[in-house]
Amino acid sequence: ILAQATRTTHSSWPAHPAPPRRSSEPPPSLLPLATMDAKEAQKQIGQMRSFIESEARDKAREIEKKGEEEFSIEVHRLITEQKDKIISTYEKKVKQIDTQYAIAKSLAINKQRLEKIKARQEVMHKIETDVKPSLEKQSQDQTFVTKLIVQGLLMLLEDKVTVTCRQKDVELVKKCLASAEKEYAKQIKEQAGATKSVSLTIDTSYLPATCMGGVVLSCFNDKIKIDNTVDARLGLVMEQAKPAIRGLLFPQ
């Protein structure tokens, strides 16, 4: 612009320069050029401003878009994090409930099992109690007592055996000694083909009065004993027959 103004100014000057004016106003020939230059400058400034505003809007949109993307990513992260946390909490609660249920179920099953065992024991005890009177009555039978003595003798196989009984059964047992000795010799002869005898004596000490009857055989100064009391026989039978009794009374 300055070069153009210079060229225009130089071409319009006369060959001999006029004397300088003393007024402060610009020369008339420069006014249109200055006006044109101002308009051109304003136009360029407007263009620059438009460009800057456009760039600013583009940058603002870019920043806004980037902010929206970051916001979406952060929202997604937070939602995922909270969702995972909720799922983890839910799984823990479910696991805790399952554990509590398993414990409660196990306790209920154990309780039911214990109650069943208790009921079975009560029934077995009742059976044992119910048969005691008949067994005690049977213990007063001479043949029954003789068989108890012979059975004990066959287990000991000794020549001298002491028989212990209740004090009130002494007379009954005395009546059984001779027949028991004969039956023992007979059984040895039949089963082994040998001749063997035994000498039986009644012990001066007695079985408890609470015992249902029967005898205890011993030898070698009580070092070896065979308990053939009714109580011992009943306990043995109840233990051996318990599965069969349970099968009859408590079928699956």
Side-chain angles (χ1 to χ4, degrees), residues 75-91:
V75 169
H76 179 71
R77 185 188 68 80
L78 291 174
I79 291 174
T80 304
E81 182 179 341
Q82 292 300 318
K83 184 170 67 176
D84 293 341
K85 185 177 180 181
I86 292 172
I87 292 174
S88 178
T89 303
Y90 174 77
E91 289 177 350

Side-chain angles (χ1 to χ4, degrees), residues 74-184:
E74 183 66 16
V75 169
H76 179 71
R77 185 188 68 80
L78 291 174
I79 291 174
T80 304
E81 182 179 341
Q82 292 300 318
K83 184 170 67 176
D84 293 341
K85 185 177 180 181
I86 292 172
I87 292 174
S88 178
T89 303
Y90 174 77
E91 289 177 350
K92 287 181 180 179
K93 288 184 178 180
V94 169
K95 186 175 181 181
Q96 184 178 4
I97 292 172
D98 290 341
T99 302
Q100 291 176 353
Y101 173 76
I103 293 173
K105 183 179 179 181
S106 178
L107 291 175
I109 292 174
N110 290 336
K111 183 179 179 181
Q112 184 180 11
R113 188 177 299 165
L114 291 174
E115 289 177 352
K116 185 184 292 185
I117 293 174
K118 183 180 178 181
R120 288 179 178 180
Q121 292 294 338
E122 290 176 352
V123 172
M124 298 295 290
H125 182 70
K126 187 176 183 301
I127 293 173
E128 186 175 350
T129 303
D130 292 342
V131 300
K132 280 183 178 180
S134 60
L135 290 176
E136 191 168 3
K137 182 179 179 181
Q138 185 72 19
S139 68
Q140 299 303 307
D141 181 73
Q142 184 172 342
T143 303
F144 177 74
V145 175
T146 300
K147 289 181 179 179
L148 292 178
I149 296 173
V150 173
Q151 188 179 46
L153 291 174
L154 291 173
M155 296 175 70
L156 290 174
L157 296 175
E158 296 297 334
D159 297 333
K160 294 182 180 181
V161 177
T162 302
V163 181
T164 305
C165 61
R166 295 183 301 180
Q167 187 174 5
K168 65 178 183 179
D169 295 336
V170 172
E171 295 301 323
L172 173 64
V173 173
K174 283 182 179 179
K175 295 177 183 179
C176 300
L177 294 182
S179 57
E181 291 174 353
K182 292 180 181 180
E183 182 64 23
Y184 169 73

